[in-house]
Amino acid sequence: MREKERRPSLAEVAGEAGVSISTVSKVVNGAPDVAADTRVRVESVLRDKQYLSPKQRSRRDLATVVVVLSSSSMSSPITVEILRGVMRAAHEAGLELVLLDLPDGVPAAGWIERTKRNGPVAVIALKSRLRTEERAKLAKNSVPLVEVDTYRLPDNDSYSVGATNFAGGMAATQHLLSLGHTRIGFLSGVSDTQASIARKHGHLAALASAGIQPGADIVEEGDFTYESGLRAAELLLGRPDRVTAIFAASDAQAAGVLEAARRAGMSVPRDLSVTGFDDQPVARMTAPQLTTVRQPSEAMGSYAVDVAHKLLLGGAPPVYHTDLATELIVRDSTAAPQVTENMP
């Protein structure tokens, strides 16, 4: 029986044509944004190597990226931004894209079998709490896994991408310290998420570097939502030794802080400075607009697809975990403290 001929990889075609893998993928899938001379050169190599286009191949040969997420996370603007980056990168790479809703608490058995196709497949887990047995099953089936904004500590069992949450938390607090604030409240996000933990530790590190020992009475737990920001800020602003600034672990929480300040008859930033985290649209819709830390959410999604694509092609990215840089965005919600005004 004649042995089935191996179809050349995109990497082999790219190497012979002297272009990137993504350029070959665009030509194969008919994308318009390729220079005419480059397209002719790539198509010539494709013909020489008898590489069939997606229209000529059966669907089982198409590489697929399955994005696993929970429906509850879809209410987060961060999730939407990450997905935007995933969709753009998948389109540019000529990858099939499947979204799989995996509600929290669903048993591990089942969903992996549903994602298995005849063609190559990779999984991108977006803000998802994958179990150890799920990761093991993916590995056993040679399904590459890339996690985005993972809840757990990164390791060398799977690839992941996040943001520099520690550095972002430190930058936000250092900004408040530079303005002269020394009594700074902190509102955490979901307590067991790595993003929230890192932002809190960055905040504490900035205080420690300034020789300030934070009191337990000015740290409140939250869950990244507006309601938790409102409740926590009301507690902080109702205490006798009131804080002069609050760093919230998300923009939604920071918006809740602004409302708590309004209800207390306080003016921001004259009576209270407020910083958020993420730089979501709400940060520019509040009055005043929020000083915040910009998180590269869309870039995180694009990066995850790039890693998944490399793994599907048999490559190995140089590192297992990558943090993309955050950036402090200073707007109108922070100013120097007015220590003699509006104090009880």
Side-chain angles (χ1 to χ4, degrees):
M1 184 176 178
R2 183 181 177 183
E3 184 179 352
K4 184 179 177 180
E5 292 184 3
R6 183 181 70 86
R7 181 167 60 86
S9 69
L10 292 183
E12 291 171 334
V13 175
E16 186 162 331
V19 298
S20 67
I21 294 174
S22 63
T23 297
V24 175
S25 180
K26 289 179 181 180
V27 173
V28 167
N29 289 282
D33 54 335
V34 178
D37 58 337
T38 301
R39 183 181 299 277
V40 169
R41 186 166 73 255
V42 172
E43 287 177 344
S44 176
V45 176
L46 290 170
R47 284 193 299 272
D48 290 344
K49 290 186 172 292
Q50 297 183 335
Y51 187 100
L52 300 179
S53 71
K55 291 182 179 179
Q56 296 169 308
R57 288 183 268 147
S58 65
R59 281 188 71 85
R60 71 171 182 267
D61 292 323
L62 287 174
T64 302
V65 170
V66 177
V67 179
V68 177
L69 71 167
S70 65
S71 53
S72 61
S73 71
M74 286 299 296
S75 61
S76 167
I78 293 291
T79 299
V80 175
E81 285 195 4
I82 294 173
L83 278 176
R84 188 180 297 120
V86 167
M87 290 187 291
R88 185 186 70 248
H91 173 73
E92 291 176 351
L95 298 169
E96 291 280 287
L97 186 63
V98 175
L99 299 184
L100 177 62
D101 176 13
L102 188 65
D104 293 333
V106 169
W111 75 267
I112 294 176
E113 282 71 16
R114 294 198 302 273
T115 66
K116 285 164 61 177
R117 300 158 66 97
N118 291 326
V121 60
V123 168
I124 293 178
L126 199 163
K127 300 174 74 69
S128 182
R129 298 174 184 265
L130 289 184
R131 298 167 174 81
T132 301
E133 57 266 34
E134 291 172 303
R135 294 189 184 87
K137 198 164 191 177
L138 288 170
K140 182 179 179 180
N141 286 275
S142 300
V143 176
L145 169 64
V146 184
E147 297 183 86
V148 183
D149 202 9
T150 177
Y151 278 80
R152 67 193 185 100
L153 283 171
D155 56 30
N156 290 345
D157 293 329
S158 61
Y159 291 88
S160 58
V161 57
T164 54
N165 290 293
F166 178 90
M170 195 168 186
T173 300
Q174 286 176 332
H175 169 65
L176 294 172
L177 290 167
S178 72
L179 293 172
H181 295 278
T182 56
R183 187 161 172 78
I184 303 169
F186 178 76
L187 308 185
S188 75
V190 178
S191 60
D192 65 343
T193 64
Q194 292 305 310
S196 180
I197 293 170
R199 292 170 196 179
K200 181 178 180 179
H201 286 176
H203 163 71
L204 296 175
L207 293 180
S209 67
I212 298 173
Q213 180 64 40
D217 62 324
I218 58 175
V219 175
E220 292 289 341
E221 298 295 328
D223 58 10
F224 292 126
T225 64
Y226 172 90
E227 291 77 15
S228 73
L230 175 60
R231 289 192 303 269
E234 286 177 336
L235 290 174
L236 289 177
L237 299 179
R239 289 171 181 154
D241 189 10
R242 197 175 65 200
V243 297
T244 63
I246 293 178
F247 168 31
S250 75
D251 290 338
Q253 285 175 289
V257 174
L258 294 181
E259 174 58 16
R262 186 194 67 80
R263 293 182 185 183
M266 300 173 66
S267 173
V268 175
R270 187 190 66 188
D271 305 319
L272 178 73
S273 284
V274 181
T275 66
F277 203 108
D278 293 330
D279 196 28
Q280 291 300 293
V282 67
R284 298 178 291 281
M285 296 176 183
T286 56
Q289 292 188 336
L290 281 170
T291 291
T292 188
V293 177
R294 178 175 294 161
Q295 182 172 198
S297 306
E298 191 168 333
M300 287 159 60
S302 297
Y303 185 89
V305 173
D306 290 343
V307 172
H309 196 190
K310 284 185 176 70
L311 293 169
L312 284 168
L313 293 170
V319 294
Y320 281 95
H321 179 76
T322 299
D323 279 333
L324 303 185
T326 53
E327 178 187 4
L328 178 69
I329 305 298
V330 179
R331 296 196 179 97
D332 304 326
S333 65
T334 51
Q338 303 297 316
V339 294
T340 61
E341 296 181 18
N342 297 315
M343 296 299 288

